[in-house]
Amino acid sequence: MDSDLSHPGWRRGFWSLMATQFQTAFSDNALKNLIILLVLGSAVPQEERNTHVALAGALFAAPFILFSMLGGWLADRFSKQRVMTMVKLAEIGIMLFAAAALAWGHASLELAAIFLMGCHSAIFAPSKYGILPELLPHERLSWGNGILELLTFLGIIFGIAASGFLAETFAGAQVFSGLILALLALLGWWLSRGITPVPAANPTCAPRINPVTDLWARLMSMKQDRDLWRANWGNAGFFFVAALVQMNLMIYAQDVLHLSKSQNAYLNLALALGIGFGSVAAGYASRGRIEYRLVPIGAVGLALCSIPMGMAGVGFAPFVLCLVGLGFAAGLFIVPIAAVLQHRPAPEDKGAVQGAANVMSFIGILAASGVQWVSFQTLNLTPGQVFWVCGACALLTGAYSAISRGRFIRGEA
């Protein structure tokens, strides 16, 4: 039997989800990086500037630690499509608040806007990932994750590119940047209405409002499934490395390559395109199954590509090629891990597992902000040397997955 027939109309709902996710990733990163660029361009000491960059990343990550479990409960208790639609509606108000903060040029309010967008995304993410197995036939799950990661990272890079454009185009009048993002939020809400409505997976589940105790209980449950446990830590390690690379890349572009705000986006374009196409390649290479062997391959690729990036005097072209390779390897790494996190849990627990995985991934992102600060302020590393830290951490994560779990090497489904 053609499995597509067992999921009637999945294409429209799936592509509506993809478009909504692209807008979400675009707007998140356009706002966050616009504020970071305004900080980088302000007349503040370098030490204070680097601290603000790390703080912006931490404020975006903190809501995922605080509210992802709540987002997981909402994804299980209610229709995931309904949750996403309501969250996108809230984004319109958040972006109007951001527009006011940008108009006043008040740094504290701008950082508060980053925090609020983090809250929005923390609630959105469990439903976004948890609904995929409900929309797609099983053999298309890895393919769907590849498309999702491609559009996510394209959204990230175009959002970063747009932040440079907005910073320069509306210099002195950043309220217009906020209003543009509010209009995009309205578009995202409209797109979310096209996602296939699905019934609540567990309409009787009790509320989960304590992020600490609920996370602990969920982690202990996940630990009983070795594949799910390894995937959870691999996911957290990936986002730690990705966040550290992204933060460090902005500083490297300004301090080492001396690029303008708009030129800075070209480096992020190389990275995000690599991740996107690596994700698509992983989806097709999986051939309707979860291809565990891609995880250690991706980890080794991340480590190898980071080596030339940390060398003094590396040329611009080789650096960009390494960024593309770094991104491609990252795509190979994350797609099978994301598929495991979606496929292994029971249907009534998918939202809760995604919530727990989000908390762990953003603990990784928050840790990356701390490592970035320590690397510069305490260890006195150069931006290039921080890339070596990224490569070493990626290799350790891949080694944990491959050595401690033979299935990752043998590629068993």
Side-chain angles (χ1 to χ4, degrees), residues 290-336:
I290 298 173
E291 185 53 81
Y292 294 96
R293 288 174 293 188
L294 294 176
V295 176
I297 293 172
V300 171
L302 284 164
L304 291 177
C305 289
S306 70
I307 295 173
M309 295 169 64
M311 294 179 176
V314 62
F316 181 77
F319 184 84
V320 171
L321 288 175
C322 286
L323 270 180
V324 174
L326 191 81
F328 191 87
L332 297 181
F333 186 99
I334 191 58
V335 164

Side-chain angles (χ1 to χ4, degrees), residues 39 253 338 342 371 377 408:
V39 169
Q342 292 161 3
V371 169
Q377 307 301 333
F408 275 78

